[in-house]
Amino acid sequence: MTINKPAILEAFHFRHACKEFDAERKIAGADFDFILETARLSPCSFGLEPWKFLVIQTPTLREKLRPHIWGGQKQLPTASHLILTLCRKSRDLRYDSDYVQGFMREVQHYPEDAAQARTQVLEKFQKHDFALLESERAINDWAGKQTYIPLANMMTAAALIGIDSCPIEGFERNSLEQALAAEIGIDLEQWSVAYLVAFGYRKNPPARPKTRQQASAVIEWL
């Protein structure tokens, strides 16, 4: 495998939170499939994939959701592609849930003895190591953190092929979730909204250069 390290760093410098896209330019289907595949292949805690990626391309649906997404007013109408990522709630992610037990056997293909042993490890992790079962909020937050791994991978993959992106957390969660339930039937007992991310090609260059702290300020060798 040959990896061009300068090209990878160039992509990180290229990437910025694009505030408005060129609405006339569309991402090729093969390119967006590539971006989605990096999300699908992303790692997560215990490999439980607590996510679903909704690709929202219908203009009327975007407009119905737009009033609830104050941080995406320019991105929603102009993005070539828009993803809304859902996160599974605690009901599905407890060590003893039907989802987890079925996932271990049907997706991860653990034999029965291995699935039972892994269940015991997950139970200890959730009950004691991270105290995730002390509240519904704790396990939901743990699951939500996992969804940000594919977000980073999608944005990096896009930048590597010259596609812009913008992650969006600026929304009113309760009203957005109610709108999703009303418009497309999302089960709010099972799912919550983690974030949105828009993709396309920038309409204008970034308004200001990228700023980051020096490596010495954020990296410490021990």
Side-chain angles (χ1 to χ4, degrees), residues 144-164:
K145 290 176 182 177
Q146 310 311 311
T147 68
Y148 280 75
I149 301 172
L151 171 63
N153 288 340
M154 285 190 286
M155 292 192 297
T156 299
L160 284 166
I161 57 174
I163 292 173
D164 288 293

Side-chain angles (χ1 to χ4, degrees), residues 105-134:
R105 292 163 174 81
E106 297 165 17
V107 179
Q108 296 176 321
H109 304 299
Y110 285 113
E112 188 59 32
D113 57 343
Q116 291 180 17
R118 193 165 176 83
T119 296
Q120 292 177 352
V121 173
L122 182 57
E123 180 181 8
K124 177 180 178 296
F125 174 81
Q126 291 186 342
K127 282 185 175 180
H128 305 294
D129 298 347
F130 271 53
L132 297 178
L133 302 186
E134 290 185 351

Side-chain angles (χ1 to χ4, degrees), residues 62-111:
R62 288 192 191 183
E63 281 303 307
K64 288 179 179 179
L65 300 181
R66 190 177 172 192
H68 312 285
I69 305 169
W70 54 266
Q73 291 299 296
K74 291 185 177 180
Q75 292 93 331
L76 263 65
T78 62
S80 171
H81 290 68
L82 178 70
I83 292 175
L84 187 151
T85 299
L86 298 176
C87 179
R88 289 187 181 273
K89 288 187 173 181
S90 60
R91 183 184 77 177
D92 282 347
L93 294 175
R94 283 180 52 96
Y95 67 93
D96 54 356
S97 70
D98 290 342
Y99 173 78
V100 167
Q101 293 302 311
F103 195 93
M104 287 182 181
R105 292 163 174 81
E106 297 165 17
V107 179
Q108 296 176 321
H109 304 299
Y110 285 113

Side-chain angles (χ1 to χ4, degrees), residues 17-222:
C18 185
K19 302 305 181 186
E20 185 174 6
F21 298 93
D22 181 347
E24 300 303 315
R25 296 188 65 188
K26 302 301 179 184
I27 299 170
D31 286 342
F32 199 70
D33 287 344
F34 162 72
I35 292 170
L36 285 172
E37 188 68 354
T38 67
R40 189 183 73 86
L41 294 175
S42 293
C44 57
S45 185
F46 287 87
L48 292 175
E49 301 178 38
W51 49 56
K52 177 179 276 191
F53 307 102
L54 305 181
V55 184
I56 301 178
Q57 296 301 91
T58 307
T60 53
L61 179 56
R62 288 192 191 183
E63 281 303 307
K64 288 179 179 179
L65 300 181
R66 190 177 172 192
H68 312 285
I69 305 169
W70 54 266
Q73 291 299 296
K74 291 185 177 180
Q75 292 93 331
L76 263 65
T78 62
S80 171
H81 290 68
L82 178 70
I83 292 175
L84 187 151
T85 299
L86 298 176
C87 179
R88 289 187 181 273
K89 288 187 173 181
S90 60
R91 183 184 77 177
D92 282 347
L93 294 175
R94 283 180 52 96
Y95 67 93
D96 54 356
S97 70
D98 290 342
Y99 173 78
V100 167
Q101 293 302 311
F103 195 93
M104 287 182 181
R105 292 163 174 81
E106 297 165 17
V107 179
Q108 296 176 321
H109 304 299
Y110 285 113
E112 188 59 32
D113 57 343
Q116 291 180 17
R118 193 165 176 83
T119 296
Q120 292 177 352
V121 173
L122 182 57
E123 180 181 8
K124 177 180 178 296
F125 174 81
Q126 291 186 342
K127 282 185 175 180
H128 305 294
D129 298 347
F130 271 53
L132 297 178
L133 302 186
E134 290 185 351
S135 71
E136 185 173 347
R137 175 67 180 270
I139 196 167
N140 287 344
D141 285 350
W142 167 69
K145 290 176 182 177
Q146 310 311 311
T147 68
Y148 280 75
I149 301 172
L151 171 63
N153 288 340
M154 285 190 286
M155 292 192 297
T156 299
L160 284 166
I161 57 174
I163 292 173
D164 288 293
S165 62
C166 185
I168 301 169
E169 279 189 322
F171 53 84
E172 299 170 2
R173 175 175 275 131
N174 288 338
S175 64
L176 177 57
E177 290 179 348
Q178 291 298 324
L180 288 168
E183 296 296 334
I184 59 175
I186 294 298
D187 182 356
L188 299 182
E189 295 295 317
Q190 183 177 31
W191 300 102
S192 63
V193 176
Y195 56 79
L196 297 95
V197 56
F199 295 92
Y201 296 95
R202 64 188 67 179
K203 182 177 181 180
N204 299 303
R208 55 198 299 265
K210 184 185 292 289
T211 60
R212 292 293 188 274
Q213 296 183 72
Q214 294 297 315
S216 59
V218 296
I219 300 171
E220 182 177 356
W221 289 69
L222 303 173

